[in-house]
């Protein structure tokens, strides 16, 4: 059919969620038609391939026209061009800002710069997420990053208000922004087994407890930058390691508490000489020693509590702020 | 000094970046009306400027108020060079001139630029103060209401139907002026938009004057069209039906006389017949001068007997309206009143004659643009009358003056009138006019349905309570009366197979009935209806001038004949016997003619069952041929059986004796009256012989015929769960729910092969239409069960090898479980609560998301604490520790705050199911041009048109919302002219849309429904008694 022009415009904008997903996933019109045909829409609704092609093209055009609005979702609500029911708007936005875990895992902690954008084709090849979709996701990260960068107030709320996202998605974006800002390396080989959700959880913990925002909620970047004062105070915790008395005292307390409660006691004992927890020095060995998750939980609980009993240990508040996060992060990260 | 127009520019938002350096815009606004211009201050460096201007006041004549639009231009201030225009808004202030319509225009309007499309929005307030005009010689007609709706508007009662009004204005097309060579495309487009806006205003004003002259106060079924003639000019013409309408107060409306037949009497009927809520518009004479009891007919004061209320100082019409009055409407004795069909018909017709005679002293054409009527108004329907005429535009002597075109239309209307007369009818209803232009050739077409109207409704005044009584003296029951032949059976205008009415058994009915009107809601039908289309292409040689016109004229009768045959065949194939809403469009191109006939087929219980279709071969001896014929015959019979099932057509079996016809007419014929002026003055009557009595024989004598039969069978029925029709509502479906989706779709097909045959072309054209329908079904599949209503196809041949089909329709959901008659309770939306919610008025589209928007603005100025009560906002409490003062300033700031977009529904129908129209706010009549010089970048011609149509919708919605409305009814896209030049990366498109802005409210079950149901039930039992 030499159809030169073919448009369909509804007063209420018609959007098929399946096609929207295909568009978001970066399928070309023809590929999308193929996928839809395999999906069985045709048999379901005695239509021909032409009909499907025409429908897909129409929808793709609509999405392209909407894309500009989706870049600042607030506009979608008071623009006049498309009449879209509110619940549909919410779906459009939420889906547009949704991302692939595989993709985000690759860029997490990297600088959201042009350089990274150039590497997207490699990431695309590696994650088998189409380049088009990679670009959209990357641009979304960057857009959110730029907008919230200079805002006061809580990070998650800012994201949620500016991009009208669900709480869950806003938290994920907060994590992405947090990692991008602090450039935490997440690409190391040993960290490969961790999912984005693990990191997102940790970021959430860090944001809640370790950033400036946890103390003062009216500062710029309050949730993005770690509380410098706190980091200073952390140094004082080293006394647990550097002070031989304290170390031994703490160690014996932990060991007493743990004795008889776990089979893996021996190894635990061995590891009771504590350092500041870092991933390589704690989780990795424990994993190789096949601690169970409950062992880990037990150990950390006692480890935290024992410190409180130490008379000479003066930094209880900082210790709690430190260990609270460490504990929950380690629980989260400690899996196969 | 008859009026003061006041405008205030409040704010702008989402403006485009005009200064690349700062990524901002220094915007200001020019407000222009007539020759007066005001300017706002420049709002520097903002994409969301706040002007909060003073009130700009224009003191103007009301004549100008009617003609001129308010013109708002948004510009970017530039210190060193000329200011750049961002875009414009034209606001038609006509709705403010009528006390019953809108009182203020206030809202966000898209800023439109003919090159860039919509570029941000502007918030404007407009008011009008009108002073009483005591001048009798005025040229304005403020206060006359206009309605696109082709029935009596829902919240009005027709006190009097005065009749046909028409007007035509001509101007030079700015695109063809010499200056166009040196000005920018933008300037040219804007000149055109402005001119057409002015011409529409002038046209409306002039028609309004005619209405006032007739003693009316409104125009119903207002149909305005543009003819882009090119070199010879730009014509804007309009027709309508003048009425005197009384507003019904919603509370006191009498609920007594709902004429509803049991078949069509479900609760939802409240929406699909004009008798909604029992607010019965009744036709009658209710002039101010009229007092006392209804006088005998002869003494009836008509508008002509009372002094004309206004005597215009100059002739307001360029129409030769005084001429040709000798051609009286009165049926000639031989035709009309001789031996009439029923015994009551004799005096009735005498009555009619007298009535029409008095009426005729005032009006020349007894035409009505209405397509549905108050019950009892339509007495008999004769059939479709149509006339076409081929004209040469370059032969107009005085192109700037309207006389020539007036004379052309005059000629056509006279023909229509004489056709109606030949059918024994004194009026034409469902009347419409159209043109098709290609280069210098123009085909003018007019069509309508010949009918006899009830004079009683023109005689009596308020019939609010009384009309039920009249039903008993009515010669025929309303469910079948309109089918009874209006002509004399012994002296028939054409041979036809008559039988006694299958419903009342008292009067004669024809075997098939074709009409251009909507099916009367009280008509008795069997099963459901369906869309029937006849499509046809005819090649023609390229030619110039007279030769071309002659060639076209010669082709026209053949095309009409074939379209008619196709319709008849398809009707029989579906086992139906009547067509409603018939619309035949013939479009001319350089090397072909396109014909498209659309109608809604129905099985009218009153009419005889259609016979089957029989196939006959020309050469009976040929065995293989014989076999072939048998297979085709079988396929046809199977299709008929299948269709009967599909459309639930199970007419009650009738005994043969009743069917007997007193007329020994061996051949069954039906005829379509048509003619065209280039041929002789005699009527060229097409007799479509149908062979034997109840079978319709198709002869296969050549391959063409075989093709024709194949194409008959290729029309796929709509998929399960779908119905389609081109009338307001689908016969046989009554319980509409509130799901509504209006859409416009355009397809252009490029013919690749230069050596196409008629057959090949037909196939392509048929496929194009069929595929469009299939696409609709597919796209709207989530609405099942649903019906595509008012499917309006428009075909055009924009270029030599292009066929363009544009469709506007509405998909409406209905309740499947209650498709059978008389649902006891209101079909409350089951799957459509969302849509229902959207309709609440006034409704904020996104209470939720907009409040979030409000929050969003905290980035700039703070978070208002109590803008909207939504769960999401309240959960954000901790995010708003901002100073009180800032949030307050934000709240008063209109550009953010509670600005949410109100939902505006659009429908080509005169109602929205499940809602009640409480106010008509005025007519929407908008014309836009869009042009691009970067076609590829805008997504090709599809992308270009897609965004343009979306923009047009957006602008219509914005205007309706600014008037305070929440819906557009009787919406239509009159014109969609697309010109493209992909090689130059250019395209241009013109779109004209119209409709009625309304406020409608959801019909709540508790309040209005129970009473309506009661009324319906009591009345239907009453109707039973009457029949």
């Amino acid at each position: 059919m030499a159809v030169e022009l073919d448009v369909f415009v509804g007063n209420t904008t018609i959007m098929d969620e399946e096609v929207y997903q295909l568009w978001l996933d970066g399928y070309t019109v023809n590929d999308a038609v193929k996928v839809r045909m395999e999906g069985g829409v045709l048999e379901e609704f005695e239509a021909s391939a032409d009909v499907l092609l025409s429908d897909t093209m129409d929808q793709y055009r609509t999405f392209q026209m909407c894309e500009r609005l989706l870049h600042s979702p607030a506009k979608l609500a008071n623009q006049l061009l498309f009449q879209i029911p509110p619940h549909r708007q919410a779906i459009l936005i939420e889906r547009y800002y949704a991302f692939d875990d595989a993709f985000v895992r690759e860029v997490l902690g990297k600088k959201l710069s042009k350089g990274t954008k150039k590497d997207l084709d490699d990431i695309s090849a590696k994650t088998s997420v189409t380049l088009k979709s990679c670009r959209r996701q990357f641009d979304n990260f960057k857009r959110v990053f730029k907008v919230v960068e200079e805002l006061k107030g809580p990070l998650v709320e800012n994201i949620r208000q500016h991009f009208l996202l669900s709480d869950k998605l806003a938290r994920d974006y907060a994590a992405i922004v947090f990692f991008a800002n602090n450039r935490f390396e997440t690409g190391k080989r040993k960290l490969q087994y961790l999912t984005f959700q693990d990191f997102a959880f940790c970021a959430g913990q860090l944001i809640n407890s370790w950033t400036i925002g946890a103390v003062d909620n009216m500062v710029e970047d309050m949730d993005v930058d770690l509380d410098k004062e706190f980091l200073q105070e952390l140094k004082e915790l080293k006394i647990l390691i550097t002070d031989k008395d304290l170390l031994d005292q703490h160690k014996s307390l932990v060991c007493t508490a743990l004795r008889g409660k776990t089979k893996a006691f021996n190894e635990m004992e061995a590891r009771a000489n504590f350092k500041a927890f870092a991933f390589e020095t704690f989780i990795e060995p424990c994993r190789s020693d096949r601690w169970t998750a409950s062992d880990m939980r037990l150990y950390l609980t006692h480890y935290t509590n024992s410190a409180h009993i130490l008379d000479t240990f003066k930094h209880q508040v900082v210790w709690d702020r430190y260990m609270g996060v460490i504990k929950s992060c380690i629980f989260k990260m400690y899996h196969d | 000094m008859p009026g003061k127009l006041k405008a205030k520019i409040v704010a702008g938002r989402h403006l485009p970046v005009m200064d690349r350096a700062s990524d901002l815009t220094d915007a200001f606004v020019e407000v222009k009306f007539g020759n007066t211009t005001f300017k706002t201050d420049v709002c520097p460096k903002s994409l969301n400027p706040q002007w909060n201007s003073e009130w700009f006041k224009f003191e103007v004549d009301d004549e100008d108020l009617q003609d001129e639009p308010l013109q708002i231009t948004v510009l970017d201030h530039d210190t060193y060079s000329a200011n750049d225009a961002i875009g414009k808004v034209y606001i038609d202030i006509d709705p403010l001139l009528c006390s019953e319509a809108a009182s203020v225009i206030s809202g966000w309007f898209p800023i439109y630029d003919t090159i860039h499309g919509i570029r941000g929005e502007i918030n404007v307030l407009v008011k009008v103060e009108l002073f009483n005009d005591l001048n009798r010689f005025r040229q304005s007609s403020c206060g006359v209401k206009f309605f696109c709706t082709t029935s009596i508007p829902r919240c009005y009662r027709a006190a009097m139907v005065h009749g046909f009004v028409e007007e035509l204005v001509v101007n030079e097309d700015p695109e063809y002026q010499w200056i166009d060579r040196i000005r920018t495309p933008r300037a040219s487009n804007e000149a055109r938009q402005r001119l057409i806006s002015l011409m529409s205003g002038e046209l409306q004003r002039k028609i309004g004057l005619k209405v006032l002259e007739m003693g009316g106060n409104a125009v119903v079924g207002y149909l305005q069209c543009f003819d882009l003639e090119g070199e010879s000019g730009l014509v804007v013409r309009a027709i309508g039906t003048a009425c005197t309408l009384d507003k019904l107060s919603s509370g006191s409306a009498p609920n007594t006389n709902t004429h509803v037949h049991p078949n069509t009497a479900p609760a939802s009927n409240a929406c699909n017949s004009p008798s909604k809520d029992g607010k019965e518009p009744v036709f009658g004479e209710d002039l101010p001068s009229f007092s006392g009891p209804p006088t005998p007919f002869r003494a009836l004061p008509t508008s002509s007997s009372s002094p004309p209320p206004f005597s215009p100082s100059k002739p307001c019409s360029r129409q030769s309206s005084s001429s040709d009055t000798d051609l009286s409407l009165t049926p000639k004795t031989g035709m009309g009143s001789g031996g009439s069909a029923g015994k009551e018909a004799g005096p009735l017709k005498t009555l009619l004659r007298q009535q029409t005679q008095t009426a005729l002293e005032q009006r020349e054409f007894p035409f009505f643009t209405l397509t549905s009527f108050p019950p009892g108004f339509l007495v008999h329907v004769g059939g479709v009358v149509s006339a076409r005429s081929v004209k040469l535009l370059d032969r107009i002597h005085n192109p700037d003056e309207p006389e020539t075109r007036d004379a052309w239309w005059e000629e056509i209307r006279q023909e229509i009138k004489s056709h109606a007369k030949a059918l024994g009818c004194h009026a034409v209803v469902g009347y419409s006019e159209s043109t098709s232009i290609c280069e210098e050739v123009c085909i003018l077409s007019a069509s309508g349905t010949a009918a006899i109207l009830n004079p009683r409704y023109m005689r009596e005044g308020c019939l609010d309570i009384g009309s039920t009584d009249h039903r008993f003296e009515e010669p025929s029951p309303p469910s079948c009366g309109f089918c009874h032949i209006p002509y004399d059976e012994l002296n028939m205008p054409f041979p036809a197979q008559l039988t006694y009415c299958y419903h009342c058994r008292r009067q004669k009915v024809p075997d098939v009935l074709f009409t251009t009107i909507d099916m009367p809601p009280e008509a008795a039908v069997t099963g459901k209806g369906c869309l029937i289309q006849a499509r046809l292409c005819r090649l023609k040689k390229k030619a110039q001038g007279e030769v071309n016109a002659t060639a076209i004229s010669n082709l026209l009768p053949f095309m009409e004949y074939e379209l008619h045959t196709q319709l008849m065949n398809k009707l029989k194939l579906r086992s139906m016997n009547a067509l409603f809403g018939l619309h035949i469009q013939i479009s001319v191109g350089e090397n072909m003619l396109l014909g498209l006939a659309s109608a809604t087929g129905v099985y009218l219980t009153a009419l005889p069952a259609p016979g089957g279709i029989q196939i006959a071969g020309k050469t009976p001896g040929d065995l293989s041929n014989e076999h072939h014929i048998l297979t085709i015959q079988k396929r046809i019979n199977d299709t008929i059986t299948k269709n009967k099932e599909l459309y639930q057509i199970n007419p009650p079996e009738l005994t043969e004796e009743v069917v007997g016809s007193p007329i020994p007419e061996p051949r069954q014929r039906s005829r379509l009256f048509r003619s065209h002026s280039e041929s002789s003055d005699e009527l060229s009557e097409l007799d479509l012989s149908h062979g034997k009595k109840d079978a319709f024989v198709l002869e296969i004598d050549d391959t063409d015929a075989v093709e024709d039969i194949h194409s008959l069978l290729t029309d796929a029925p709509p998929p399960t769960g779908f119905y389609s029709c081109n009338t307001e509502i689908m016969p046989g479906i009554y319980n509409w729910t509130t799901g509504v989706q209006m859409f416009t779709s355009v397809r252009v097909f490029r013919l690749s092969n230069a050596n196409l045959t008629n057959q090949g072309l037909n196939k392509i054209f048929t496929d194009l239409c069929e595929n469009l329908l299939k696409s609709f079904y597919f796209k709207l599949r989530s609405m099942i069960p649903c019906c595509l209503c008012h499917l309006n196809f428009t075909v055009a041949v924009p270029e030599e090898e292009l066929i363009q089909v544009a469709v506007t329709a509405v998909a409406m959901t209905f309740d499947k479980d209650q498709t059978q008659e008389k649902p006891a309770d209101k079909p409350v939306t089951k799957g459509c609560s969302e849509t229902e919610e959207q309709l609440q008025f006034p409704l904020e589209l996104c209470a939720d998301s907009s409040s979030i928007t409000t929050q969003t603005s905290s980035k700039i100025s703070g978070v208002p604490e109590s803008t909207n009560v939504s769960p999401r906002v309240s959960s954000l409490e901790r995010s708003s520790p901002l100073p009180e003062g800032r949030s307050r300033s934000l709240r008063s700031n209109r550009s953010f705050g509670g600005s949410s977009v109100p939902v505006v529904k659009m429908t080509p129908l005169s109602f929205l199911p499940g809602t009640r129209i409480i106010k008509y706010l005025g007519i929407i009549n908008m014309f836009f041009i869009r042009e691009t010089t970067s076609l590829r970048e805008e997504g090709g011609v599809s992308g270009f048109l897609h965004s343009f149509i979306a923009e047009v919708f957006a602008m219509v919605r914005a205007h309706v919302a600014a008037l305070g409305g929440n819906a557009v009814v009787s919406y239509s896209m009159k014109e969609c002219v697309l010109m493209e030049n992909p090689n130059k990366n250019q395209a241009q498109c013109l779109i004209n849309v119209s409709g009625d802005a309304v406020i409608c409210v959801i019909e709540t079950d508790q309040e209005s429904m129970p009473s309506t149901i009661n009324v319906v039930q009591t009345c239907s039992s009453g109707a039973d008694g009457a029949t």
Side-chain angles (χ1 to χ4, degrees), chain A residues 2 4-7 9 11-12 14 16 54-55 61 65 78 80-81 83 86 157 160-161 164-165, chain B residues 13-14 741-742 744-748 750 779 781 845 852 856 872 876 904 906 946 954 957 980:
Chain A
E4 175 123 337
L5 178 155
D6 179 12
V7 295
V9 190
N11 183 36
T12 305
I14 294 184
D16 184 315
S54 140
D55 179 56
R61 255 199 317 270
M65 284 190 245
N78 58 16
L80 304 177
L81 190 55
Q83 185 157 275
E157 281 314 322
R160 209 166 74 172
Q161 286 169 36
L164 310 180
L165 301 178
Chain B
R13 68 180 180 195
H14 307 157
Q741 171 66 277
M742 189 281 293
T744 290
S745 182
V746 182
R747 257 184 211 189
V748 174
R750 184 174 287 279
K779 272 186 190 290
R781 64 194 185 284
L845 175 66
I852 287 159
T856 312
R872 229 161 150 182
L876 300 182
V904 175
M906 289 164 81
H946 192 140
R957 287 193 301 255
E980 48 162 333

Side-chain angles (χ1 to χ4, degrees), chain B residues 971-983:
Chain B
Y971 169 83
S972 73
M973 188 170 80
K974 300 277 178 46
E975 209 82 58
C976 176
V977 185
L978 179 75
M979 286 151 287
E980 48 162 333
N981 192 341
N983 297 332

